[in-house]
Amino acid sequence: MTDTDNIMRSIGQLTGSVETMHQSLTARIGDIKEDIRRLDGASNDRMNRMEESLVRQITDQGEAVNKRIDGMEARVSDLEKEDKGIIREIAKFSAIGGGASAALVTAAIELMKKL
């Protein structure tokens, strides 16, 4: 074998090795791309589940808050009614007290006139 034959055979072996490495790398890159697609899909699914869970929680809490607000509105209405009743009672007693005071002042004035 001549040197040229050895060089040509070495070049052929090197070319075959490079082609094999290229095919192997191309296959690995394809596997990595597929892994990335799977991870992306799983991540999207997980985010969708989290979003749905948060929406459910917010809805549930919103309903609970609305019920509490309704309960507070009822209590405020009851307190307003009670306040109106107290105001009426105070006005009634004030009127009675005013009338009694007016009668006492009138009586006192009449007594002073006679003295």
Side-chain angles (χ1 to χ4, degrees):
M1 261 193 183
T2 63
D3 286 339
T4 305
D5 291 337
N6 285 334
I7 291 173
M8 293 305 284
R9 191 164 40 107
S10 293
I11 289 174
Q13 288 174 347
L14 183 60
T15 302
S17 294
V18 169
E19 285 177 2
T20 303
M21 284 177 30
H22 174 71
Q23 290 171 352
S24 176
L25 285 174
T26 302
R28 291 302 324 144
I29 290 171
D31 291 345
I32 290 170
K33 284 181 180 179
E34 187 58 36
D35 288 346
I36 289 172
R37 279 190 208 101
R38 250 183 288 141
L39 288 172
D40 187 45
S43 177
N44 287 339
D45 291 345
R46 196 169 27 252
M47 290 298 283
N48 288 337
R49 284 193 306 273
M50 286 173 47
E51 183 179 340
E52 290 168 2
S53 174
L54 287 172
V55 166
R56 259 194 317 276
Q57 288 177 0
I58 289 169
T59 301
D60 293 346
Q61 289 177 0
E63 290 172 2
V65 168
N66 286 339
K67 287 178 184 176
R68 291 177 75 183
I69 289 172
D70 291 343
M72 288 174 60
E73 286 176 358
R75 283 186 257 162
V76 167
S77 294
D78 291 345
L79 289 172
E80 286 174 345
K81 287 177 189 174
E82 188 178 327
D83 273 353
K84 287 177 184 177
I86 290 171
I87 290 170
R88 280 189 207 111
E89 291 295 318
I90 290 172
K92 209 185 314 179
F93 288 128
S94 294
I96 292 171
S101 294
L104 286 174
V105 168
T106 303
I109 290 173
E110 290 300 320
L111 280 174
M112 288 176 146
K113 283 183 187 177
K114 290 185 181 180
L115 291 177

